[in-house]
Amino acid sequence: MSEQSIRAGGCLCGAVRFEARGEPTNVRYCHCRLCQKAMGSPFFARALFPIDQVSVSGETARYPSSELLWRVFCPRCGTRLFAERPSAQRMGIAVAAFDEPDALPPQCHMMVAYKVAWTCLDDGLPQFAELAP
């Protein structure tokens, strides 16, 4: 896709919609405990975009999962959409929330030192015990 590409998505009930412009910085699976708990899932598949390339319409709510990271969700249906890091001007967007999630295949697994034991990682992607480079 070109630099001007726009990828859209939204929550389950449709009250929140978003657009991400351009290419993501990276697309990764995160297996850290904060992501597991925030997503209610063994991992968080997310596409990282600069905040200024993302626009959001509709009411959202947020919860600080750490001093540096806000979890952003739809207060109506509860869909967890974003992990926002204002200090770095970056936003991780849940890949499954995009209208076309297949267009954003993850490039690696990070924080696998914390993965749920029964999660089988046999997709051939690089794995990093902690943060990916």
Side-chain angles (χ1 to χ4, degrees):
M1 293 192 143
S2 72
E3 190 74 26
Q4 300 300 317
S5 65
I6 296 176
R7 293 180 171 93
C11 67
L12 178 64
C13 73
V16 178
R17 294 290 299 164
F18 63 84
E19 289 185 343
R21 294 173 304 286
E23 295 302 310
T25 304
N26 58 57
V27 183
R28 296 176 174 169
Y29 291 108
C30 182
H31 296 268
C32 79
R33 284 297 293 150
L34 287 177
C35 282
Q36 291 170 10
K37 287 189 159 278
M39 301 309 289
S41 177
F43 51 80
F44 178 29
R46 61 99 178 120
L48 188 67
F49 285 87
I51 286 177
D52 64 359
Q53 288 179 217
V54 180
S55 58
V56 180
S57 62
E59 179 186 356
T60 60
R62 58 191 61 234
Y63 177 79
S65 61
S66 71
E67 291 181 13
L68 300 174
L69 193 67
W70 289 89
R71 303 296 174 152
V72 183
F73 56 95
C74 173
R76 184 170 165 195
C77 68
T79 301
R80 295 169 288 268
L81 297 163
F82 314 116
E84 185 178 332
R85 192 177 301 270
S87 63
Q89 294 296 297
R90 300 278 184 250
M91 182 179 286
I93 304 174
V95 170
F98 281 93
D99 293 342
E100 297 181 25
D102 287 334
L104 293 159
Q107 302 151 331
C108 71
H109 294 269
M110 63 182 184
M111 307 298 280
V112 296
Y114 309 97
K115 79 174 187 69
V116 175
W118 48 257
T119 303
C120 180
L121 304 180
D122 61 357
D123 54 16
L125 294 175
Q127 299 179 23
F128 300 94
E130 299 289 332
L131 293 174

